[in-house]
Amino acid sequence: MSETVSMLDAAVGFGRVMHRRHGPAQHGFVYPIAFMRVPLGQWDALCAPLLGVDRIGVFSLRKRDHGARDGSDLGPWIRGVLDEGGLAGACNGRIILQTFPRMFGYVFNPVSFWFCHDTDGRLRAVLAEVNNTFGERHSYLVAHEDAAPIRDGQTLGARKCFHVSPFFPVSGEYRFRFSVTDGRSRVHVDLWEAGERRLSTCIDGALVALNGRSMTRWLLRFPLMTFAVMARIHVQAFHLWRKRVRFFRKPAPPIQEIST
């Protein structure tokens, strides 16, 4: 039996992503996925077969895929974001980036999560870094108003202000719920509008140590996963189009890159 992996250590998550649209045309899907959780403090020291860190590899993590997107260190960037949001004092512990790595040089991350903890390992804030298929991005920083620890299953809200899907307007509110424990990561992001839930999503996975065994398992199970992410987005869009779901044109992105 494999050892339970700490939620604060480097890990690979094997699980699923779920989307369910609640109306007016109901539609849903579930796909198996894998994701990576990397403590920023271990970024440069991270070493595993098949994985390149800021270099070529079957899998690769690149600083320029996140944060300022200029290849600079991610730690100072996210610490600056937390400082501007008044959360630097509370989020003085480890920061874990949950994301998809590049595979064979390609990646599309619909959303990455930066889990920001205090020195006791309690979750205090989460930055959801969202990308759309038009090459635009926006991030939502969520925390309690008093920066209290975020308990499992508690709901945190953020006004939607960034275009993601042409089948939803840029309106309503995202409601986030996080349940990250030793051995498992589960994130719910639901879209609410006019008092009704329009969309439910969940990314859920069992965590195992990030090493040669887990990277080989990932490659064998999902050899084209990052390519499949983009392909599946377009397949699901086709299904919604066939159901005659209303289409919304893309507005200009928000001026600010981060919403708090």
Side-chain angles (χ1 to χ4, degrees):
M1 182 180 296
S2 60
E3 295 184 3
T4 299
V5 177
S6 168
M7 66 180 184
L8 298 177
D9 289 338
V12 171
F14 290 100
R16 62 173 192 156
V17 59
M18 179 277 292
H19 280 229
R20 180 161 297 281
R21 182 187 179 97
H22 298 287
Q26 295 193 9
H27 181 75
F29 61 86
V30 178
Y31 290 128
I33 61 163
F35 54 83
M36 193 172 288
R37 287 175 55 85
V38 181
L40 294 191
Q42 298 178 20
W43 185 282
D44 292 326
L46 198 62
C47 182
L50 303 178
L51 176 64
V53 180
D54 288 310
R55 60 181 176 82
I56 295 174
V58 174
F59 299 87
S60 59
L61 289 167
R62 302 291 180 93
K63 294 186 180 79
R64 62 184 174 89
D65 290 335
H66 302 281
R69 306 294 175 103
D70 60 2
S72 60
D73 286 344
L74 299 177
W77 180 84
I78 184 63
R79 296 291 180 189
V81 170
L82 294 170
D83 187 39
E84 290 185 9
L87 295 164
C91 301
N92 55 1
R94 286 194 181 187
I95 296 177
I96 312 296
L97 175 61
Q98 179 171 307
T99 190
F100 297 150
R102 289 176 175 264
M103 291 186 69
F104 303 105
Y106 177 79
V107 71
F108 175 71
N109 271 300
V111 59
S112 299
F113 298 97
W114 306 64
F115 293 89
C116 307
H117 304 81
D118 60 23
T119 52
D120 293 324
R122 296 175 298 184
L123 184 64
R124 295 294 189 119
V126 179
L127 183 75
E129 187 179 44
V130 182
N131 295 281
N132 65 22
T133 56
F134 299 93
E136 299 168 339
R137 67 186 176 110
H138 187 78
S139 296
Y140 298 92
L141 180 62
V142 294
H144 290 302
E145 289 187 6
D146 60 356
I150 300 171
R151 308 296 183 188
D152 283 359
Q154 286 184 326
T155 299
L156 298 168
R159 182 179 65 86
K160 181 180 179 180
C161 60
F162 179 62
H163 177 85
V164 178
S165 167
F167 299 101
F168 280 109
V170 180
S171 61
E173 178 191 42
Y174 287 123
R175 297 184 184 179
F176 297 85
R177 287 174 289 139
F178 306 99
S179 178
V180 184
T181 59
D182 292 347
R184 189 158 213 97
S185 174
R186 181 182 295 114
V187 178
H188 293 268
V189 185
D190 298 338
L191 177 64
W192 286 72
E193 187 179 17
E196 295 184 3
R197 185 167 55 181
R198 302 296 189 186
L199 178 71
S200 300
T201 74
C202 179
I203 301 173
D204 178 33
L207 303 180
V208 299
L210 197 166
N211 53 31
R213 178 177 296 179
S214 58
M215 300 311 297
T216 300
R217 176 184 170 190
W218 186 335
L219 180 61
L220 293 176
R221 289 185 63 182
F222 311 117
L224 298 175
M225 193 193 80
T226 55
F227 298 95
V229 169
M230 182 64 80
R232 287 166 174 169
I233 288 172
H234 288 89
V235 167
Q236 296 304 324
F238 174 72
H239 289 316
L240 291 172
W241 174 79
R242 288 186 60 190
K243 293 181 179 182
R244 301 183 183 277
V245 176
R246 182 181 174 185
F247 186 92
F248 296 89
R249 292 188 178 275
K250 186 187 82 66
I255 297 175
Q256 292 185 327
E257 291 190 355
I258 299 172
S259 299
T260 58

